[in-house]
Amino acid sequence: MVKKPASFGIDDLLKLAPIEERVYRLLCVEAWSMAIPWIGYSLSELLRKVEPLPGAKFVEFISLADKAQMPVVSDHILAWPYTEGLRLDEAMHPLTMLGLGLYGEVLPKQNGAPVRLVVPWKYGFKSAKSIVKIRLTDKQPATSWNLAVPQEYGLYSNVNPDVDHPRWSQANERRIGDQASGGGLFAPRRKTLPFNGYAEQVAGLYVGMDLKKFF
């Protein structure tokens, strides 16, 4: 649902908008976290190029599923290819990033080469890797983890310390790489912040919503 459907090579994406480095907190649903210096620009820069139609409400992200490079896509834990989704207003938010690198380098394969999504106020699995297709639609997209375990993973997956995972608490996290607290897997746990610390910027997207129901 765009006025100007288009295909972009990685060179096109590198030239589409000024490249920035942004240090974002990343929180895994398994309650570990890191601070990562991503390289890229706001996803809205790309979406504006294709001109979303007035009826578009959601954005679907489809990842590469190449068995030759990714043997795990042969298993049956998830329905492949990996898919994720955002509301259009979430995708257009300036914090939502089209990631093209990290730590001053191009993305390595394990981090989602050549291009990925970075949504810092949501759990890490929402930031889809190795994206090969983006679709705008008027229907809520089916996402991989929601299809696999709907009682555990909803569309929104905003960081909410008051909503526990069925098998563990989400109230605190362990920060990997924080030398001040030991830095490793046995670093002291810290309190998890609503929206991963980005509430001031993004809470307005969810005014009036029950964030325990829309998890």
Side-chain angles (χ1 to χ4, degrees), residues 6-100:
S7 296
F8 298 87
I10 186 62
D11 290 338
D12 301 320
L13 294 176
L14 288 168
K15 298 173 184 176
L16 188 141
I19 301 294
E20 304 172 347
E21 182 176 71
R22 302 182 185 179
V23 180
Y24 280 165
R25 290 178 289 274
L26 173 73
L27 178 60
C28 179
V29 73
E30 295 176 343
W32 60 262
S33 63
M34 294 183 73
I36 298 177
W38 298 105
I39 297 169
Y41 46 79
S42 293
L43 176 64
S44 60
E45 299 279 1
L46 175 61
L47 296 179
R48 289 192 184 101
K49 291 288 185 183
V50 296
E51 298 185 18
L53 294 176
K57 297 178 181 178
F58 296 93
V59 186
E60 179 183 43
F61 305 89
I62 301 170
S63 293
L64 179 67
D66 180 358
K67 292 182 181 180
Q69 299 182 62
M70 307 169 175
V72 75
V73 302
S74 299
D75 69 30
H76 301 291
I77 296 174
L78 297 176
W80 304 98
Y82 190 86
T83 59
E84 258 305 337
L86 298 172
R87 280 189 343 213
L88 180 57
D89 59 344
E90 295 176 318
M92 294 295 290
H93 192 280
L95 286 184
T96 302
M97 193 173 186
L98 195 70
L100 300 164

